[in-house]
Amino acid sequence: MSGIFSRFTTLFCMLNKEAQLAGISRINMYRQTLFFCFKTGLGPRYFVVAGMARKNFVEQDKWQHISAKEYYAALKVLNSPQYRKLTQSKLSEKALYKLMHIPTPELFGYFHAYKGFDNTGQPLTDAAQLEALMSAHTDSTLCIKPIEGWGGAGVIAGRILLDDNKQPVFQPLHSQQQMTAQDLINSCKGSAPNAEFVLEAYIQQSDQFKALNADSVNTLRIWVLENTPGQVQVIGAYLRVGRAGSAIDNASAGGIMCPVRLSDGKVEPGLTKYTPHRDDITEHPDHGAQLAGIVLEQWQEIKSFACMVLLRLPYTRFAGLDVTMTAHGPVLVETNVAPDKDGAAHANIPSIRLREAAEKPYV
């Protein structure tokens, strides 16, 4: 009973604070939220995260969002389940991008106790072989990622340096710690029977993206949908910016999410996951870099790139693509074939488009 009471207390505290931020009465807030939840099947937190009670939110946009049940039912139609592992495993994902000539960070190796190999085809199964690969990339920055994962968990970026004995060590960015090849293996292994990870090039971002936060690789999460065969469009996007001292931009690591206007790439005020209330962040809280109001360079090229990627992915009609910009153009970081549905709340993305596409004959 106390648990139920606690949940209701938390709910009403959230709604009361949002009513204050929106400049409306509590009764009006309760009424709007109840009607929204009843009509869409979504919860009150979604309503608050999307800022639907705020005066600048367009009323008709409230009804462009679908419930979790509808979302996953549409995904089942749009993205064939048996093909999803192609992009969920970092190894097959990289192979697919290379085959399809999709720009993505170069893969240097796949470490595994007996399956591992580097990009020349040589074994990468023990500390000595990993050390040799590290030696070949001295003074370079590499990114180490679990073979599967989400939210940036387990991702480490760092420089390859030589220690006092001229042996290669891995020094994570924003840290003085130096890790030997065996240290890396032990760290990535954790409690699992074997360590398994990939090593890839660290992305050198464009000046504009780097200026957002130089410590992290900042990306766009772009929702792309194929409505009918060969007809692809971007239906929503938000910019993800990391925090000072963090190499990743994921919201779960404190990153900032800023909706992007599809017509021209203008960045709108951002929010974090620290609170369900929209923070309307206009400048980076750690160092003051401007976020809201900037216009992303080569925005039309970025959208075209995202559409091209989706068209090439087999049996995939919808994806949340993570894209960043370099001096040479857009680069695909990864594909999410079942992105967090709440991304639609973060950037007011009309997820109803997925349901509509799934319901139409695909001919």
Side-chain angles (χ1 to χ4, degrees):
M1 182 65 71
S2 61
I4 296 174
F5 178 77
S6 177
R7 285 197 292 273
F8 271 102
T9 300
T10 301
L11 169 62
F12 281 105
C13 284
M14 177 184 71
L15 294 179
N16 292 342
K17 181 176 180 180
E18 185 63 16
Q20 182 181 17
L21 293 171
I24 61 176
S25 70
R26 293 182 180 183
I27 296 300
N28 190 7
M29 184 71 199
Y30 302 158
R31 178 187 60 78
Q32 286 192 45
T33 305
L34 185 63
F35 183 58
F36 172 80
C37 294
F38 177 77
K39 188 170 180 178
T40 65
L42 287 161
R45 187 181 177 88
Y46 190 101
F47 184 81
V48 171
V49 168
M52 293 183 179
R54 306 290 176 97
K55 289 182 171 61
N56 61 348
F57 197 94
V58 179
E59 177 69 21
Q60 65 186 29
D61 286 352
K62 294 178 182 178
W63 320 120
Q64 302 300 303
H65 297 256
I66 58 176
S67 68
K69 182 179 179 181
E70 292 176 301
Y71 177 77
Y72 290 110
L75 274 185
K76 200 170 183 179
V77 175
L78 298 172
N79 295 346
S80 182
Q82 62 263 40
Y83 282 87
R84 294 184 192 178
K85 277 295 179 184
L86 280 174
T87 55
Q88 289 174 334
S89 166
K90 295 289 188 295
L91 190 59
S92 59
E93 182 180 31
K94 286 291 183 182
L96 192 66
Y97 298 160
K98 185 171 184 179
L99 176 67
M100 294 178 170
H101 300 281
I102 296 173
T104 193
E106 182 180 0
L107 180 72
F108 294 131
Y110 160 57
F111 184 90
H112 187 276
Y114 53 88
K115 296 180 179 180
F117 55 87
D118 65 19
N119 60 357
T120 69
Q122 296 302 306
L124 188 59
T125 59
D126 58 29
Q129 292 164 356
L130 179 57
E131 187 174 284
L133 186 148
M134 291 165 62
S135 293
H137 295 280
T138 303
D139 293 328
S140 298
T141 303
L142 303 186
C143 197
I144 295 174
K145 298 181 178 181
I147 194 72
E148 290 192 28
W150 63 278
V155 176
I156 316 172
R159 288 189 62 78
I160 305 298
L161 306 173
L162 295 179
D163 65 11
D164 294 339
N165 299 314
K166 304 300 180 183
Q167 298 301 306
V169 290
F170 181 87
Q171 182 172 312
L173 299 180
H174 324 302
S175 170
Q176 296 302 311
Q177 178 188 16
Q178 293 188 343
M179 306 170 74
T180 65
Q182 188 60 59
D183 291 336
L184 270 177
I185 294 170
N186 294 340
S187 176
C188 293
K189 179 179 178 181
S191 59
N194 294 298
E196 188 177 17
F197 55 90
V198 296
L199 302 97
E200 65 179 40
Y202 185 77
I203 298 172
Q204 299 301 319
Q205 302 174 95
S206 67
D207 290 342
Q208 186 185 46
F209 270 60
K210 187 175 182 179
L212 301 170
N213 184 60
D215 291 341
S216 58
V217 175
N218 309 301
T219 62
L220 285 158
R221 170 61 61 85
I222 305 177
W223 279 33
V224 197
L225 175 67
E226 184 182 13
N227 292 292
T228 55
Q231 299 299 313
V232 178
Q233 67 176 151
V234 172
I235 63 169
Y238 53 97
L239 179 66
R240 306 189 306 177
V241 181
R243 303 302 293 267
S246 176
I248 59 176
D249 64 354
N250 300 77
S252 54
I256 303 158
M257 300 170 287
C258 299
V260 177
R261 196 162 66 187
L262 295 188
S263 60
D264 58 5
K266 184 177 181 180
V267 177
E268 299 175 351
L271 64 156
T272 70
K273 280 192 174 180
Y274 288 137
T275 167
H277 309 284
R278 297 186 80 87
D279 305 295
D280 287 337
I281 299 169
T282 59
E283 296 180 346
H284 199 289
D286 300 329
H287 45 68
Q290 183 183 355
L291 299 177
I294 68 170
V295 176
L296 297 177
E297 298 168 356
Q298 298 179 278
W299 175 240
Q300 298 305 323
E301 181 182 346
I302 292 171
K303 289 199 296 182
S304 295
F305 175 79
C307 292
M308 175 274 289
V309 170
L310 186 69
L311 269 178
R312 293 186 182 180
L313 295 176
Y315 296 95
T316 303
R317 295 177 54 198
F318 165 69
L321 303 177
D322 291 345
V323 175
T324 192
M325 278 297 291
T326 71
H328 305 291
V331 166
L332 180 62
V333 179
E334 66 180 34
T335 297
N336 301 274
V337 292
D340 181 3
K341 71 171 181 61
D342 288 350
H346 300 148
N348 192 22
I349 301 172
S351 55
I352 196 171
R353 301 273 186 85
L354 276 67
R355 189 185 72 191
E356 292 169 349
E359 289 174 346
K360 290 190 301 186
Y362 186 62
V363 292

mmCIF file of all heavy atoms in Angstrom, residues 64-104:
data_model
loop_
_atom_site.group_PDB
_atom_site.id
_atom_site.type_symbol
_atom_site.label_atom_id
_atom_site.label_comp_id
_atom_site.label_asym_id
_atom_site.label_seq_id
_atom_site.Cartn_x
_atom_site.Cartn_y
_atom_site.Cartn_z
ATOM 1 N N GLN A 64 -0.451 12.816 -32.497
ATOM 2 C CA GLN A 64 0.466 12.213 -33.461
ATOM 3 C C GLN A 64 1.390 11.188 -32.796
ATOM 4 O O GLN A 64 2.351 10.724 -33.395
ATOM 5 C CB GLN A 64 1.319 13.300 -34.126
ATOM 6 C CG GLN A 64 0.519 14.369 -34.843
ATOM 7 C CD GLN A 64 -0.340 13.784 -35.945
ATOM 8 O OE1 GLN A 64 0.164 13.111 -36.857
ATOM 9 N NE2 GLN A 64 -1.646 14.023 -35.884
ATOM 10 N N HIS A 65 1.084 10.835 -31.548
ATOM 11 C CA HIS A 65 1.929 9.915 -30.779
ATOM 12 C C HIS A 65 1.153 8.641 -30.464
ATOM 13 O O HIS A 65 -0.026 8.698 -30.092
ATOM 14 C CB HIS A 65 2.396 10.582 -29.486
ATOM 15 C CG HIS A 65 3.252 11.791 -29.718
ATOM 16 N ND1 HIS A 65 4.614 11.780 -29.551
ATOM 17 C CD2 HIS A 65 2.936 13.053 -30.128
ATOM 18 C CE1 HIS A 65 5.105 12.986 -29.835
ATOM 19 N NE2 HIS A 65 4.099 13.771 -30.198
ATOM 20 N N ILE A 66 1.815 7.499 -30.598
ATOM 21 C CA ILE A 66 1.149 6.210 -30.374
ATOM 22 C C ILE A 66 1.698 5.512 -29.133
ATOM 23 O O ILE A 66 2.809 5.793 -28.677
ATOM 24 C CB ILE A 66 1.290 5.278 -31.597
ATOM 25 C CG1 ILE A 66 2.771 5.027 -31.944
ATOM 26 C CG2 ILE A 66 0.541 5.862 -32.792
ATOM 27 C CD1 ILE A 66 2.979 4.035 -33.077
ATOM 28 N N SER A 67 0.920 4.595 -28.603
ATOM 29 C CA SER A 67 1.286 3.876 -27.383
ATOM 30 C C SER A 67 2.423 2.902 -27.646
ATOM 31 O O SER A 67 2.747 2.586 -28.803
ATOM 32 C CB SER A 67 0.077 3.108 -26.857
ATOM 33 O OG SER A 67 -0.252 2.050 -27.747
ATOM 34 N N ALA A 68 2.996 2.396 -26.574
ATOM 35 C CA ALA A 68 4.076 1.405 -26.690
ATOM 36 C C ALA A 68 3.575 0.159 -27.421
ATOM 37 O O ALA A 68 4.289 -0.409 -28.260
ATOM 38 C CB ALA A 68 4.601 1.040 -25.304
ATOM 39 N N LYS A 69 2.361 -0.257 -27.129
ATOM 40 C CA LYS A 69 1.805 -1.444 -27.785
ATOM 41 C C LYS A 69 1.714 -1.235 -29.293
ATOM 42 O O LYS A 69 2.103 -2.111 -30.086
ATOM 43 C CB LYS A 69 0.423 -1.756 -27.200
ATOM 44 C CG LYS A 69 -0.219 -3.001 -27.793
ATOM 45 C CD LYS A 69 -1.571 -3.264 -27.144
ATOM 46 C CE LYS A 69 -2.229 -4.505 -27.746
ATOM 47 N NZ LYS A 69 -3.565 -4.769 -27.129
ATOM 48 N N GLU A 70 1.223 -0.078 -29.709
ATOM 49 C CA GLU A 70 1.111 0.225 -31.139
ATOM 50 C C GLU A 70 2.489 0.375 -31.783
ATOM 51 O O GLU A 70 2.711 -0.042 -32.915
ATOM 52 C CB GLU A 70 0.307 1.505 -31.331
ATOM 53 C CG GLU A 70 -1.165 1.391 -30.965
ATOM 54 C CD GLU A 70 -1.866 2.723 -31.093
ATOM 55 O OE1 GLU A 70 -1.453 3.683 -30.424
ATOM 56 O OE2 GLU A 70 -2.834 2.814 -31.872
ATOM 57 N N TYR A 71 3.405 0.982 -31.041
ATOM 58 C CA TYR A 71 4.759 1.214 -31.551
ATOM 59 C C TYR A 71 5.441 -0.113 -31.875
ATOM 60 O O TYR A 71 5.981 -0.310 -32.976
ATOM 61 C CB TYR A 71 5.561 1.999 -30.514
ATOM 62 C CG TYR A 71 7.007 2.245 -30.873
ATOM 63 C CD1 TYR A 71 7.364 3.214 -31.797
ATOM 64 C CD2 TYR A 71 8.023 1.511 -30.264
ATOM 65 C CE1 TYR A 71 8.696 3.460 -32.114
ATOM 66 C CE2 TYR A 71 9.357 1.747 -30.568
ATOM 67 C CZ TYR A 71 9.685 2.709 -31.495
ATOM 68 O OH TYR A 71 11.008 2.926 -31.809
ATOM 69 N N TYR A 72 5.408 -1.039 -30.927
ATOM 70 C CA TYR A 72 6.107 -2.310 -31.145
ATOM 71 C C TYR A 72 5.370 -3.212 -32.141
ATOM 72 O O TYR A 72 5.998 -4.018 -32.834
ATOM 73 C CB TYR A 72 6.343 -3.012 -29.809
ATOM 74 C CG TYR A 72 7.380 -2.285 -28.981
ATOM 75 C CD1 TYR A 72 7.025 -1.602 -27.826
ATOM 76 C CD2 TYR A 72 8.710 -2.226 -29.392
ATOM 77 C CE1 TYR A 72 7.971 -0.894 -27.092
ATOM 78 C CE2 TYR A 72 9.657 -1.525 -28.668
ATOM 79 C CZ TYR A 72 9.286 -0.862 -27.525
ATOM 80 O OH TYR A 72 10.229 -0.168 -26.808
ATOM 81 N N ALA A 73 4.062 -3.040 -32.240
ATOM 82 C CA ALA A 73 3.316 -3.771 -33.271
ATOM 83 C C ALA A 73 3.719 -3.274 -34.657
ATOM 84 O O ALA A 73 3.884 -4.063 -35.599
ATOM 85 C CB ALA A 73 1.813 -3.601 -33.050
ATOM 86 N N ALA A 74 3.890 -1.961 -34.806
ATOM 87 C CA ALA A 74 4.320 -1.397 -36.086
ATOM 88 C C ALA A 74 5.744 -1.840 -36.417
ATOM 89 O O ALA A 74 6.046 -2.183 -37.565
ATOM 90 C CB ALA A 74 4.244 0.126 -36.033
ATOM 91 N N LEU A 75 6.620 -1.849 -35.415
ATOM 92 C CA LEU A 75 8.002 -2.292 -35.641
ATOM 93 C C LEU A 75 8.047 -3.726 -36.167
ATOM 94 O O LEU A 75 8.880 -4.057 -37.012
ATOM 95 C CB LEU A 75 8.795 -2.229 -34.330
ATOM 96 C CG LEU A 75 9.443 -0.912 -33.936
ATOM 97 C CD1 LEU A 75 10.277 -1.109 -32.681
ATOM 98 C CD2 LEU A 75 10.312 -0.365 -35.053
ATOM 99 N N LYS A 76 7.160 -4.556 -35.664
ATOM 100 C CA LYS A 76 7.135 -5.963 -36.082
ATOM 101 C C LYS A 76 6.857 -6.090 -37.574
ATOM 102 O O LYS A 76 7.361 -6.995 -38.246
ATOM 103 C CB LYS A 76 6.068 -6.708 -35.274
ATOM 104 C CG LYS A 76 6.243 -8.209 -35.256
ATOM 105 C CD LYS A 76 5.305 -8.831 -34.237
ATOM 106 C CE LYS A 76 5.522 -10.329 -34.152
ATOM 107 N NZ LYS A 76 4.626 -10.953 -33.146
ATOM 108 N N VAL A 77 6.067 -5.161 -38.093
ATOM 109 C CA VAL A 77 5.740 -5.165 -39.523
ATOM 110 C C VAL A 77 6.842 -4.503 -40.334
ATOM 111 O O VAL A 77 7.258 -5.005 -41.384
ATOM 112 C CB VAL A 77 4.396 -4.436 -39.765
ATOM 113 C CG1 VAL A 77 4.116 -4.319 -41.269
ATOM 114 C CG2 VAL A 77 3.262 -5.163 -39.058
ATOM 115 N N LEU A 78 7.341 -3.388 -39.832
ATOM 116 C CA LEU A 78 8.299 -2.589 -40.603
ATOM 117 C C LEU A 78 9.700 -3.185 -40.630
ATOM 118 O O LEU A 78 10.388 -3.099 -41.647
ATOM 119 C CB LEU A 78 8.363 -1.161 -40.027
ATOM 120 C CG LEU A 78 7.057 -0.357 -40.077
ATOM 121 C CD1 LEU A 78 7.216 0.939 -39.296
ATOM 122 C CD2 LEU A 78 6.664 -0.064 -41.526
ATOM 123 N N ASN A 79 10.128 -3.769 -39.530
ATOM 124 C CA ASN A 79 11.485 -4.313 -39.414
ATOM 125 C C ASN A 79 11.414 -5.797 -39.083
ATOM 126 O O ASN A 79 11.138 -6.167 -37.932
ATOM 127 C CB ASN A 79 12.276 -3.582 -38.332
ATOM 128 C CG ASN A 79 12.522 -2.124 -38.673
ATOM 129 O OD1 ASN A 79 12.332 -1.702 -39.811
ATOM 130 N ND2 ASN A 79 12.935 -1.354 -37.690
ATOM 131 N N SER A 80 11.666 -6.625 -40.080
ATOM 132 C CA SER A 80 11.586 -8.073 -39.898
ATOM 133 C C SER A 80 12.483 -8.509 -38.736
ATOM 134 O O SER A 80 13.697 -8.257 -38.758
ATOM 135 C CB SER A 80 12.031 -8.773 -41.187
ATOM 136 O OG SER A 80 11.919 -10.165 -41.056
ATOM 137 N N PRO A 81 11.924 -9.141 -37.689
ATOM 138 C CA PRO A 81 12.707 -9.487 -36.495
ATOM 139 C C PRO A 81 13.963 -10.301 -36.780
ATOM 140 O O PRO A 81 14.993 -10.103 -36.133
ATOM 141 C CB PRO A 81 11.702 -10.282 -35.643
ATOM 142 C CG PRO A 81 10.370 -9.746 -36.046
ATOM 143 C CD PRO A 81 10.496 -9.475 -37.523
ATOM 144 N N GLN A 82 13.904 -11.213 -37.765
ATOM 145 C CA GLN A 82 15.064 -12.072 -38.011
ATOM 146 C C GLN A 82 16.248 -11.326 -38.615
ATOM 147 O O GLN A 82 17.357 -11.849 -38.664
ATOM 148 C CB GLN A 82 14.691 -13.270 -38.890
ATOM 149 C CG GLN A 82 14.184 -12.936 -40.273
ATOM 150 C CD GLN A 82 12.679 -12.922 -40.338
ATOM 151 O OE1 GLN A 82 12.036 -12.435 -39.404
ATOM 152 N NE2 GLN A 82 12.106 -13.440 -41.415
ATOM 153 N N TYR A 83 16.027 -10.091 -39.065
ATOM 154 C CA TYR A 83 17.125 -9.310 -39.643
ATOM 155 C C TYR A 83 17.676 -8.260 -38.668
ATOM 156 O O TYR A 83 18.646 -7.583 -38.987
ATOM 157 C CB TYR A 83 16.670 -8.614 -40.928
ATOM 158 C CG TYR A 83 16.615 -9.538 -42.113
ATOM 159 C CD1 TYR A 83 15.477 -10.291 -42.376
ATOM 160 C CD2 TYR A 83 17.705 -9.689 -42.969
ATOM 161 C CE1 TYR A 83 15.413 -11.156 -43.457
ATOM 162 C CE2 TYR A 83 17.659 -10.545 -44.045
ATOM 163 C CZ TYR A 83 16.510 -11.282 -44.283
ATOM 164 O OH TYR A 83 16.455 -12.147 -45.361
ATOM 165 N N ARG A 84 17.082 -8.142 -37.511
ATOM 166 C CA ARG A 84 17.486 -7.062 -36.603
ATOM 167 C C ARG A 84 18.888 -7.243 -36.051
ATOM 168 O O ARG A 84 19.581 -6.275 -35.750
ATOM 169 C CB ARG A 84 16.474 -6.929 -35.462
ATOM 170 C CG ARG A 84 15.114 -6.459 -35.948
ATOM 171 C CD ARG A 84 14.159 -6.234 -34.794
ATOM 172 N NE ARG A 84 12.797 -6.057 -35.286
ATOM 173 C CZ ARG A 84 11.742 -5.890 -34.514
ATOM 174 N NH1 ARG A 84 11.896 -5.859 -33.193
ATOM 175 N NH2 ARG A 84 10.533 -5.746 -35.030
ATOM 176 N N LYS A 85 19.330 -8.495 -35.890
ATOM 177 C CA LYS A 85 20.658 -8.746 -35.344
ATOM 178 C C LYS A 85 21.767 -8.239 -36.265
ATOM 179 O O LYS A 85 22.907 -8.054 -35.827
ATOM 180 C CB LYS A 85 20.852 -10.239 -35.081
ATOM 181 C CG LYS A 85 20.285 -10.709 -33.757
ATOM 182 C CD LYS A 85 21.026 -10.067 -32.582
ATOM 183 C CE LYS A 85 20.458 -10.518 -31.250
ATOM 184 N NZ LYS A 85 21.107 -9.823 -30.117
ATOM 185 N N LEU A 86 21.448 -8.011 -37.526
ATOM 186 C CA LEU A 86 22.467 -7.516 -38.458
ATOM 187 C C LEU A 86 23.075 -6.209 -37.963
ATOM 188 O O LEU A 86 24.269 -5.967 -38.128
ATOM 189 C CB LEU A 86 21.860 -7.311 -39.848
ATOM 190 C CG LEU A 86 21.693 -8.551 -40.719
ATOM 191 C CD1 LEU A 86 20.949 -8.184 -41.992
ATOM 192 C CD2 LEU A 86 23.040 -9.164 -41.045
ATOM 193 N N THR A 87 22.259 -5.362 -37.358
ATOM 194 C CA THR A 87 22.765 -4.075 -36.893
ATOM 195 C C THR A 87 22.886 -4.001 -35.375
ATOM 196 O O THR A 87 23.425 -3.033 -34.852
ATOM 197 C CB THR A 87 21.861 -2.932 -37.375
ATOM 198 O OG1 THR A 87 20.513 -3.175 -36.968
ATOM 199 C CG2 THR A 87 21.914 -2.800 -38.891
ATOM 200 N N GLN A 88 22.422 -5.010 -34.669
ATOM 201 C CA GLN A 88 22.547 -4.998 -33.208
ATOM 202 C C GLN A 88 23.899 -5.532 -32.762
ATOM 203 O O GLN A 88 24.364 -5.206 -31.666
ATOM 204 C CB GLN A 88 21.400 -5.785 -32.572
ATOM 205 C CG GLN A 88 20.065 -5.057 -32.702
ATOM 206 C CD GLN A 88 18.884 -5.875 -32.217
ATOM 207 O OE1 GLN A 88 18.910 -7.098 -32.217
ATOM 208 N NE2 GLN A 88 17.835 -5.192 -31.791
ATOM 209 N N SER A 89 24.527 -6.342 -33.604
ATOM 210 C CA SER A 89 25.882 -6.811 -33.318
ATOM 211 C C SER A 89 26.865 -5.884 -34.016
ATOM 212 O O SER A 89 26.774 -5.646 -35.219
ATOM 213 C CB SER A 89 26.073 -8.248 -33.828
ATOM 214 O OG SER A 89 27.450 -8.585 -33.842
ATOM 215 N N LYS A 90 27.823 -5.331 -33.257
ATOM 216 C CA LYS A 90 28.784 -4.381 -33.826
ATOM 217 C C LYS A 90 29.584 -5.002 -34.960
ATOM 218 O O LYS A 90 29.955 -4.322 -35.923
ATOM 219 C CB LYS A 90 29.740 -3.892 -32.742
ATOM 220 C CG LYS A 90 29.093 -3.078 -31.638
ATOM 221 C CD LYS A 90 28.669 -1.714 -32.131
ATOM 222 C CE LYS A 90 28.200 -0.821 -30.996
ATOM 223 N NZ LYS A 90 26.982 -1.288 -30.325
ATOM 224 N N LEU A 91 29.842 -6.302 -34.874
ATOM 225 C CA LEU A 91 30.671 -6.955 -35.888
ATOM 226 C C LEU A 91 29.936 -7.056 -37.218
ATOM 227 O O LEU A 91 30.448 -6.636 -38.266
ATOM 228 C CB LEU A 91 31.094 -8.344 -35.400
ATOM 229 C CG LEU A 91 32.158 -9.061 -36.227
ATOM 230 C CD1 LEU A 91 33.435 -8.234 -36.293
ATOM 231 C CD2 LEU A 91 32.448 -10.425 -35.639
ATOM 232 N N SER A 92 28.730 -7.595 -37.215
ATOM 233 C CA SER A 92 27.977 -7.715 -38.466
ATOM 234 C C SER A 92 27.567 -6.339 -38.984
ATOM 235 O O SER A 92 27.500 -6.115 -40.192
ATOM 236 C CB SER A 92 26.740 -8.598 -38.267
ATOM 237 O OG SER A 92 25.889 -8.075 -37.261
ATOM 238 N N GLU A 93 27.325 -5.410 -38.071
ATOM 239 C CA GLU A 93 26.959 -4.050 -38.464
ATOM 240 C C GLU A 93 28.084 -3.417 -39.285
ATOM 241 O O GLU A 93 27.852 -2.840 -40.359
ATOM 242 C CB GLU A 93 26.668 -3.218 -37.215
ATOM 243 C CG GLU A 93 26.223 -1.796 -37.503
ATOM 244 C CD GLU A 93 25.936 -1.014 -36.238
ATOM 245 O OE1 GLU A 93 26.587 -1.277 -35.204
ATOM 246 O OE2 GLU A 93 25.076 -0.133 -36.284
ATOM 247 N N LYS A 94 29.320 -3.535 -38.797
ATOM 248 C CA LYS A 94 30.466 -2.963 -39.502
ATOM 249 C C LYS A 94 30.667 -3.617 -40.868
ATOM 250 O O LYS A 94 30.962 -2.947 -41.864
ATOM 251 C CB LYS A 94 31.741 -3.120 -38.665
ATOM 252 C CG LYS A 94 31.810 -2.187 -37.483
ATOM 253 C CD LYS A 94 31.975 -0.756 -37.950
ATOM 254 C CE LYS A 94 32.119 0.188 -36.780
ATOM 255 N NZ LYS A 94 32.237 1.593 -37.221
ATOM 256 N N ALA A 95 30.520 -4.927 -40.915
ATOM 257 C CA ALA A 95 30.695 -5.641 -42.182
ATOM 258 C C ALA A 95 29.653 -5.186 -43.202
ATOM 259 O O ALA A 95 29.956 -5.005 -44.389
ATOM 260 C CB ALA A 95 30.590 -7.152 -41.947
ATOM 261 N N LEU A 96 28.431 -4.995 -42.729
ATOM 262 C CA LEU A 96 27.340 -4.564 -43.597
ATOM 263 C C LEU A 96 27.620 -3.171 -44.165
ATOM 264 O O LEU A 96 27.473 -2.928 -45.370
ATOM 265 C CB LEU A 96 26.035 -4.572 -42.808
ATOM 266 C CG LEU A 96 24.735 -4.425 -43.592
ATOM 267 C CD1 LEU A 96 24.507 -5.629 -44.494
ATOM 268 C CD2 LEU A 96 23.562 -4.264 -42.628
ATOM 269 N N TYR A 97 28.043 -2.255 -43.315
ATOM 270 C CA TYR A 97 28.317 -0.891 -43.772
ATOM 271 C C TYR A 97 29.455 -0.856 -44.792
ATOM 272 O O TYR A 97 29.400 -0.106 -45.768
ATOM 273 C CB TYR A 97 28.678 0.018 -42.599
ATOM 274 C CG TYR A 97 27.583 0.186 -41.567
ATOM 275 C CD1 TYR A 97 27.875 0.630 -40.273
ATOM 276 C CD2 TYR A 97 26.247 -0.087 -41.861
ATOM 277 C CE1 TYR A 97 26.881 0.790 -39.325
ATOM 278 C CE2 TYR A 97 25.262 0.060 -40.907
ATOM 279 C CZ TYR A 97 25.585 0.501 -39.637
ATOM 280 O OH TYR A 97 24.601 0.652 -38.689
ATOM 281 N N LYS A 98 30.468 -1.667 -44.551
ATOM 282 C CA LYS A 98 31.600 -1.690 -45.486
ATOM 283 C C LYS A 98 31.159 -2.212 -46.845
ATOM 284 O O LYS A 98 31.526 -1.664 -47.889
ATOM 285 C CB LYS A 98 32.736 -2.541 -44.928
ATOM 286 C CG LYS A 98 33.989 -2.505 -45.793
ATOM 287 C CD LYS A 98 35.165 -3.185 -45.110
ATOM 288 C CE LYS A 98 36.424 -3.052 -45.971
ATOM 289 N NZ LYS A 98 37.606 -3.674 -45.321
ATOM 290 N N LEU A 99 30.364 -3.272 -46.849
ATOM 291 C CA LEU A 99 29.865 -3.844 -48.093
ATOM 292 C C LEU A 99 29.012 -2.844 -48.858
ATOM 293 O O LEU A 99 29.076 -2.772 -50.093
ATOM 294 C CB LEU A 99 29.044 -5.101 -47.786
ATOM 295 C CG LEU A 99 28.360 -5.790 -48.972
ATOM 296 C CD1 LEU A 99 29.413 -6.383 -49.911
ATOM 297 C CD2 LEU A 99 27.410 -6.880 -48.487
ATOM 298 N N MET A 100 28.239 -2.046 -48.127
ATOM 299 C CA MET A 100 27.309 -1.112 -48.753
ATOM 300 C C MET A 100 27.918 0.273 -48.986
ATOM 301 O O MET A 100 27.218 1.186 -49.417
ATOM 302 C CB MET A 100 26.057 -0.981 -47.884
ATOM 303 C CG MET A 100 25.254 -2.265 -47.805
ATOM 304 S SD MET A 100 23.813 -2.080 -46.737
ATOM 305 C CE MET A 100 22.958 -3.622 -47.092
ATOM 306 N N HIS A 101 29.203 0.430 -48.688
ATOM 307 C CA HIS A 101 29.906 1.706 -48.892
ATOM 308 C C HIS A 101 29.229 2.849 -48.136
ATOM 309 O O HIS A 101 29.075 3.955 -48.661
ATOM 310 C CB HIS A 101 30.011 2.034 -50.382
ATOM 311 C CG HIS A 101 30.756 0.995 -51.163
ATOM 312 N ND1 HIS A 101 32.136 0.902 -51.177
ATOM 313 C CD2 HIS A 101 30.311 -0.029 -51.936
ATOM 314 C CE1 HIS A 101 32.506 -0.109 -51.930
ATOM 315 N NE2 HIS A 101 31.420 -0.698 -52.409
ATOM 316 N N ILE A 102 28.846 2.553 -46.896
ATOM 317 C CA ILE A 102 28.272 3.565 -46.014
ATOM 318 C C ILE A 102 29.388 4.089 -45.111
ATOM 319 O O ILE A 102 29.993 3.309 -44.372
ATOM 320 C CB ILE A 102 27.124 2.983 -45.163
ATOM 321 C CG1 ILE A 102 25.962 2.547 -46.064
ATOM 322 C CG2 ILE A 102 26.648 3.993 -44.130
ATOM 323 C CD1 ILE A 102 24.858 1.804 -45.334
ATOM 324 N N PRO A 103 29.710 5.380 -45.167
ATOM 325 C CA PRO A 103 30.782 5.914 -44.324
ATOM 326 C C PRO A 103 30.529 5.652 -42.844
ATOM 327 O O PRO A 103 29.459 5.972 -42.322
ATOM 328 C CB PRO A 103 30.755 7.412 -44.633
ATOM 329 C CG PRO A 103 30.134 7.513 -45.988
ATOM 330 C CD PRO A 103 29.123 6.410 -46.043
ATOM 331 N N THR A 104 31.514 5.059 -42.173
ATOM 332 C CA THR A 104 31.420 4.714 -40.762
ATOM 333 C C THR A 104 32.832 4.583 -40.221
ATOM 334 O O THR A 104 33.767 4.359 -41.011
ATOM 335 C CB THR A 104 30.626 3.395 -40.585
ATOM 336 O OG1 THR A 104 30.279 3.210 -39.209
ATOM 337 C CG2 THR A 104 31.419 2.198 -41.069
#
